[in-house]
Amino acid sequence: MTQGQSHGGPEIAQRVLLELPVAIVIVDLKGKVVDCNTRAHTVMGRREGIPRLARLDDWQPRRGTLAKALHSVGISSSWTPLALWREDQQIELKGRGLLLAGHAEPQVLLMESHPTPHRFADHSQQIRRLNAQLVIQRRTEDQLRAALKTAEDLRRELVHRVKNNLAIVSALLRTKARTAEHPAATEALTAAAARIRSIAIVHDILDDRNESEFLTSKALFTALLDHLRLSICPPHITLVSEIFDAELHAETALPLSLLANELITNAIKHAFTDRTSGLVRITFAEAKGGYHLLVADDGSGIDDTPAQRGGGSRIVEALAKQLNGEIELSRRDGTTWSITLRPSKRCDASA
């Protein structure tokens, strides 16, 4: 702007000083600094013993004096280039006249200016670096996605193969149990087959869901109870259940399935000797920090004296310990196993 022009007064000039990221200086015609921004003070005023840019006396043009150069710029009607030197430092500026309220003489607005080719080359180089980094990042992301998909496919294939192998082992044990000559061997083989089947149920559900880690408690107990009803539960014994539906990690579901299978099987086989009817109640509920499993029967009770204590009870204790469980056993009006489970891998969201 020219000497006689005003463009919003000091408010506009101050806003320009604060917002632009280049060095901005407003000086009078003698080189005294009226105002400047932080960039200008950093670039032009940083010298030992100078707290803030106050004058431009130590900056001079190559030819003539600073006062003449400022006067020439101050009367210009358009942006005028101005190069200043201080010892071995150089700064490229452009300037024009500025009339501020409260000042009798025109001021000079100076703005840091880089030659256009320099800016273009600098920006082009930055863009090339950014594009190269972007290409590397995208390639890396593609490789990571491919690796994750391959890992997930392998985990699902492993679940499928384990499911098939467990089914084969369970079938072999049942076949061997039918041909065993000793009743104790038959019972041991049948129990082993049932335990393997309770593990296979977890893998069956994972395979059906095309999953490798998570399944629901309702699906687990439904499949387990259906299997027990068909395989070992006589018609006069009724299984009833109330299951809280939660997402379970496979590392929790496997020992849980074994534990529930052991308790329900023991109740079916031993709680109703010489009885014409019986009820086994299974409850799985959410508890503080974990779950609560209850298996209760209304039978005549199970002999759990040390002399009669079998491998089943020891398996129950071991599985409960694996799930950080606390066992409470009651033999009043039948047998009730009440176990609070706090597995290390627990999903907080219910299904």
Side-chain angles (χ1 to χ4, degrees), residues 1-5 29 68-82 94-99 106-110:
M1 62 187 69
T2 60
Q3 273 181 300
Q5 291 177 312
L29 297 181
K68 287 184 178 180
L70 293 175
H71 186 271
S72 176
V73 171
I75 63 174
S76 175
S77 60
S78 59
W79 288 102
T80 302
L82 176 64
K94 57 183 178 180
R96 65 189 306 168
L98 178 68
L99 187 61
Q107 314 299 312
V108 179
L109 173 64
L110 298 175

Side-chain angles (χ1 to χ4, degrees), residues 27 95-97 108 125 163 204 208 237 269 344:
V27 297
R96 65 189 306 168
V108 179
Q125 186 177 9
K163 164 194 165 181
D204 287 347
D208 289 342
I237 297 177
K269 287 185 175 181
S344 57

Side-chain angles (χ1 to χ4, degrees), residues 56 90 177:
L56 295 186
Q90 178 184 354

Side-chain angles (χ1 to χ4, degrees), residues 147-298:
L148 287 172
K149 185 179 183 304
T150 300
E152 186 60 28
D153 290 344
L154 289 173
R155 292 174 70 175
R156 289 173 179 169
E157 177 64 20
L158 180 62
V159 167
H160 182 73
R161 292 191 181 191
V162 169
K163 164 194 165 181
N164 291 340
N165 291 339
L166 288 172
I168 292 171
V169 173
S170 181
L172 288 174
L173 288 171
R174 288 196 303 271
T175 300
K176 189 64 177 177
R178 286 194 294 269
T179 60
E181 297 180 357
H182 198 284
T186 300
E187 184 177 353
L189 290 168
T190 302
R195 288 163 184 154
I196 290 175
R197 178 58 193 157
S198 68
I199 298 173
I201 284 172
V202 174
H203 289 83
D204 287 347
I205 297 171
L206 290 173
D207 193 40
D208 289 342
R209 296 184 72 185
N210 199 24
E211 262 278 5
S212 59
E213 288 189 275
F214 298 99
L215 66 159
T216 66
S217 57
K218 186 156 287 188
L220 173 62
F221 279 93
T222 298
L224 179 61
L225 292 174
D226 286 347
H227 166 66
L228 293 174
R229 285 189 185 99
L230 291 173
S231 60
I232 66 169
C233 189
H236 66 279
I237 297 177
T238 303
L239 304 181
V240 296
S241 63
E242 183 179 347
I243 306 301
F244 167 74
D245 200 13
E247 283 278 326
L248 300 176
H249 194 279
E251 290 188 16
T252 298
L254 284 167
L256 177 61
S257 182
L258 277 166
L259 178 60
N261 172 80
E262 204 68 34
L263 294 173
I264 299 167
T265 298
N266 286 345
I268 292 171
K269 287 185 175 181
H270 305 297
F272 306 105
T273 305
D274 300 326
R275 290 277 298 273
T276 58
S277 66
L279 176 69
V280 180
R281 180 162 53 93
I282 302 99
T283 302
F284 182 74
E286 190 175 28
K288 186 177 181 181
Y291 307 104
H292 181 255
L293 175 65
L294 183 140
V295 177
D297 65 70
D298 61 353

Side-chain angles (χ1 to χ4, degrees), residues 16-24 37-40 43 112 114:
V16 171
L17 290 172
L18 292 174
E19 293 177 358
L20 291 179
V22 296
I24 304 289
N37 66 358
T38 303
R39 165 73 179 170
V43 173
E112 186 179 11
H114 297 291

